[in-house]
Amino acid sequence: MFYVSKVSLPFFFLAILDLLYSLAVKSLQLDPKIVWITAVFGFVAHTIMSAMYQIVPNSQGRPLRPIWLSYVVFALSLFSSFLFYLFQTLYASLVYAFASLLFAINILLSIKNWQPITVKFIGLGTLYLLFASFFLLLSELGFLPLALAVHSLTLGFMLNVVVGVELAWIPMLYMEPLNIVLSRRLFYLSLFYLPLFLLSFYLLDYRLISIASLLVLAFSGYFLYILYSMFSKRRMPKEIPLVVRYFILALIMLPFGLLLGSIMAGEGIVSFLLPLHFDLLVYGFTGTTIMGGLAHLYPRIVYNWKFSGATGVSLSDLLREDALKRIILLIPFSLAWMLFADAYGGFLSYMSSLPYMLLWLYFAWAVLLRGMFYKPTN
């Protein structure tokens, strides 16, 4: 990579702090709204924003423009997170909307070549981040439902960016070509289904939400088909890279979480199934995807920043691959416990997040802290 985004590194740490705070509030049963906001608008959004600050300039072959604006965005994002931690959601939402506006300007000014399918998805996701941040502010003012803001960010920003990036990374890591025609159709499908789905949340018609959620399932199913068609082309057996295994594990959770949401909306069983829907899609699908993405991107940023001219240092030195292999085996168990404890309720719900939180602390030690504080032996 020719460009190294130094602002991405503190952004990653802020995102992990957001995640741990959401899990702590979830365990203490304090305020579900703060759990949703700090997990979705904090952990999810801040991780993807930090990754985009690295991915976009390198995809364009030109530096971020202007660079100083990215530090302003980080400062405002940090401030908004701490306001959310203090339960000052209205003021935090106002700061967050301003930070998102500056982020969108920063990213869109840095893009000149819109031809790659990944860039199209990233650009579309950036617009939805802007919508989601203003929807969040309007929800705090009582004009819009919070569910509209949350789903605008998760499906509009998060899913579009994740799909776009994985359409570039998985073929590269697996060394198989991508079907460009199918990928373009997937992008056009995203333009069609998402406004209809979000409209159903604006109307808060659960029957309509259930029907519209079938479009989300169709989109995710088509994405899975594209990936399957790529994997099926390989005639000779080939080991799947560890990062891709994280992505595959996350994608297995995606349809189950979406289907649960569709059933929940159709039957109106909101209070019982909502935590499980959230667990599967935010902590399950998105959290596992982010683990894989961080394991791939974070060591490369640190290497190019600190060790590009050093001898005897490789990317494998900047993370503990043995720990990553253990973590991917433990993710299903930690999520299964979370789902069971949240479904059972009572005293178990106070401990539902503990194994998952410990797993993320282990991941942070194996990747984030390992890369940041690594010192060559020579």
Side-chain angles (χ1 to χ4, degrees):
M1 57 179 65
F2 88 98
Y3 177 81
V4 177
S5 171
K6 295 179 182 177
V7 77
S8 293
L9 300 177
F11 244 128
F12 285 137
F13 282 94
L14 173 60
I16 301 302
L17 184 62
D18 291 328
L19 170 66
L20 296 176
Y21 185 85
S22 76
L23 292 171
V25 175
K26 183 176 185 293
S27 296
L28 296 173
Q29 307 283 297
L30 293 179
D31 187 347
K33 187 174 80 168
I34 292 297
V35 175
W36 302 335
I37 290 177
T38 53
V40 173
F41 289 88
F43 167 58
V44 175
H46 288 157
T47 305
I48 296 174
M49 290 165 71
S50 59
M52 286 174 62
Y53 270 134
Q54 181 63 44
I55 293 169
V56 169
N58 283 284
S59 70
Q60 297 296 300
R62 60 199 295 245
L64 190 70
R65 300 195 176 175
I67 295 176
W68 61 265
L69 190 55
S70 64
Y71 292 95
V72 176
V73 172
F74 172 73
L76 290 171
S77 299
L78 178 64
F79 185 42
S80 68
S81 283
F82 278 108
L83 287 175
F84 281 128
Y85 299 165
L86 297 174
F87 294 76
Q88 300 297 316
T89 53
L90 176 58
Y91 298 116
S93 300
L94 181 61
V95 175
Y96 191 94
F98 187 48
S100 299
L101 175 61
L102 295 182
F103 173 78
I105 292 171
N106 208 186
I107 291 297
L108 296 177
L109 285 178
S110 301
I111 297 177
K112 285 189 68 175
N113 180 13
W114 288 92
Q115 292 304 313
I117 192 66
T118 296
V119 176
K120 287 183 170 67
F121 272 109
I122 285 176
L124 181 62
T126 302
L127 292 178
Y128 273 108
L129 170 65
L130 196 56
F131 294 153
S133 65
F134 283 100
F135 291 164
L136 177 63
L137 177 59
L138 290 173
S139 74
E140 286 299 311
L141 294 172
F143 294 109
L144 291 176
L146 178 60
L148 175 61
V150 169
H151 286 85
S152 296
L153 195 138
T154 52
L155 294 178
F157 179 51
M158 180 272 294
L159 190 58
N160 274 317
V161 174
V162 165
V163 166
V165 171
E166 289 192 359
L167 286 175
W169 282 5
I170 292 179
M172 175 187 67
L173 293 168
Y174 197 63
M175 293 184 289
E176 287 291 334
L178 177 69
N179 190 316
I180 300 299
V181 175
L182 294 181
S183 300
R184 286 175 181 166
R185 290 175 183 169
L186 184 70
F187 176 73
Y188 297 141
L189 181 58
S190 181
L191 294 175
F192 168 73
Y193 91 89
L194 201 47
L196 296 177
F197 181 74
L198 295 179
L199 177 63
S200 68
F201 269 97
Y202 173 73
L203 299 173
L204 271 184
D205 184 331
Y206 287 106
R207 183 74 55 151
L208 185 59
I209 292 172
S210 179
I211 296 172
S213 64
L214 297 177
L215 297 174
V216 186
L217 282 166
F219 176 82
S220 60
Y222 195 48
F223 175 56
L224 292 173
Y225 170 73
I226 292 173
L227 296 181
Y228 169 77
S229 65
M230 181 187 66
F231 284 111
S232 63
K233 289 178 183 178
R234 192 78 183 184
R235 295 184 178 181
M236 297 296 294
K238 180 181 180 180
E239 183 181 2
I240 300 176
L242 183 57
V243 170
V244 178
R245 277 181 262 169
Y246 272 88
F247 293 156
I248 292 173
L249 176 59
L251 289 168
I252 292 172
M253 305 174 196
L254 178 61
F256 291 103
L258 294 175
L259 186 60
L260 188 62
S262 178
I263 295 171
M264 177 181 65
E267 299 296 327
I269 315 174
V270 177
S271 59
F272 171 66
L273 293 178
L274 181 56
L276 309 185
H277 172 68
F278 189 85
D279 291 347
L280 273 172
L281 291 182
V282 175
Y283 297 125
F285 164 68
T286 310
T288 307
T289 301
I290 286 174
M291 278 187 174
L294 283 175
H296 175 73
L297 188 60
Y298 182 86
R300 284 162 173 79
I301 297 175
V302 174
Y303 178 83
N304 284 274
W305 171 42
K306 297 178 65 176
F307 303 110
S308 59
T311 57
V313 180
S314 64
L315 285 172
S316 60
D317 294 324
L318 303 182
L319 76 166
R320 297 183 183 274
E321 191 168 330
D322 56 337
L324 290 175
K325 290 178 179 178
R326 294 189 199 102
I327 290 170
I328 196 172
L329 296 176
L330 294 172
I331 288 173
F333 295 100
S334 66
L335 284 169
W337 167 253
M338 183 183 289
L339 291 168
F340 171 75
D342 284 340
Y344 187 85
F347 71 96
L348 285 184
S349 60
Y350 289 94
M351 297 180 287
S352 68
S353 303
L354 183 59
Y356 186 79
M357 183 185 294
L358 293 175
L359 206 58
W360 263 100
L361 290 172
Y362 187 35
F363 177 86
W365 170 80
V367 177
L368 302 188
L369 297 180
R370 169 72 173 181
M372 182 61 65
F373 298 106
Y374 178 78
K375 293 183 180 180
T377 55
N378 295 335

